[in-house]
Amino acid sequence: MKLGIVGLPNVGKSTLFNSLTKAGAESANYPFCTIDPNVGVVPVPDKRLDELTKMYNSAKTTPAVIEFVDIAGLVKGASKGEGLGNQFLANIRETDAIVHVVRCFEDTNVIHVDGSVDPVRDIETINLELIFADIEVLDRRIAKNGRGANNNKELAKELEMEKRLKEHLESGNLAISFTTDDEDEQKWIKEYNLLTGKPVIYAANVSEDDLADDGASNEYVKKVREYAAKMGSEVFAVCAQIEQEISELDDDEKTMFLEELGVKESGLDKLIKASYSILGLISYLTSGEDETRAWTITKGTKAPQAAGKIHTDFERGFIKAEVVAYNDLMSSGSMLAAKEKGLVRQEGKDYVVQDGDVILFKFNV
């Protein structure tokens, strides 16, 4: 999973990236201090892996990972190459979802690129640049397909859809809100990889005082939540400065620090939950003496395709899956005890894998 972290200059984007990845991207109080995209690969915290590792005395533990790309600050006119626009747009195309950091705190010491704090205006500034960039992509496709559409029914159908989609964008809408039941049209839209077609998670960057109630009393955060609800986006409140302090602590200190602040989970935990939710992802687990590991799949994936995540041979030669729910395995104390209680199931090709399934695949190639 690859997430692009975006936001206007000086909203706390690079500070948040640094704390999430400990990658040390330069963070300073002026625009464009992030010029090259910084990439950090972060393990997904999952306590289930620790428990399974203990149970099986595994030699190795491998969590799922998320790749974060910190993308250079965006300004008005980026789609026309202002600021670091073209670079920004190229880097964001490669991501699965966008984490949009918006400033929801007042601080006279931190310059705002537009002179005042207004998160919805900031969101719309970035959205507009993405819309412009998507319209350019469509214009090129319309010009190309227009040349052959007269003699080709499929091209004519695609051209007609492209014009509808362009009209949708020109009305200020995002591609993600363009709906169609036509399978061809859905396939084409996916191929275009439009920037405004990507799911968005809003990270509302608040002051430390607003963190305990998850930004509920912050008027800026309320506005972001209202805006996101209309778009079907996820929102979480985070204090980038606090996240940076947390990133320097070990796990026990981190837990104590969060408790003192009255906060249940870190920004990274909130972000991971939001990204799994918006992308429709779950994790299944495999465990043994060699390795305990989490595998990320899309909700609704059937057993053979889930097995294919491990190796294509597992999918090709799939026979069956031996499945036990993580909670059932833990409450039983061992795989043997879980089998004796009848909690371990043999599942076939049509089984839809669930989050937290502990699975042993049987295959023959």
Side-chain angles (χ1 to χ4, degrees), residues 287-306:
S287 198
E289 282 183 15
D290 292 340
E291 182 183 41
T292 289
R293 184 163 180 167
W295 303 88
T296 304
I297 55 170
T298 308
K299 270 182 200 163
T301 299
K302 291 186 177 177
Q305 287 69 47

Side-chain angles (χ1 to χ4, degrees), residues 258-275:
L258 289 172
E259 278 173 7
E260 281 170 26
L261 289 170
V263 177
K264 288 177 185 164
E265 52 190 353
S266 71
L268 178 60
D269 292 334
K270 288 181 188 175
L271 175 51
I272 285 166
K273 272 187 190 168
S275 48

Side-chain angles (χ1 to χ4, degrees), residues 8 102-103 112 116-124 220 223:
L8 288 170
V102 283
R103 179 169 164 177
H112 189 290
S116 62
V117 178
D118 183 342
V120 172
R121 176 201 62 207
D122 293 354
I123 289 168
E124 288 176 342
Y220 296 134
K223 286 176 183 170

Side-chain angles (χ1 to χ4, degrees), residues 28 71 101 118 143 160 177 231-232 248 259-260 263 279 283-284 307 337:
I71 293 162
V101 184
D118 183 342
E160 187 273 327
S177 64
M231 300 291 177
E248 306 300 324
E259 278 173 7
E260 281 170 26
V263 177
L279 291 169
S283 291
Y284 75 85

Side-chain angles (χ1 to χ4, degrees), residues 2-32:
K2 195 171 185 179
L3 303 178
I5 302 184
V6 307
L8 288 170
N10 301 342
V11 295
K13 179 177 63 68
S14 292
T15 305
L16 182 61
F17 172 82
N18 289 350
S19 55
L20 293 178
T21 64
K22 298 182 186 173
E26 187 189 349
S27 172
N29 184 20
Y30 58 90
F32 309 131

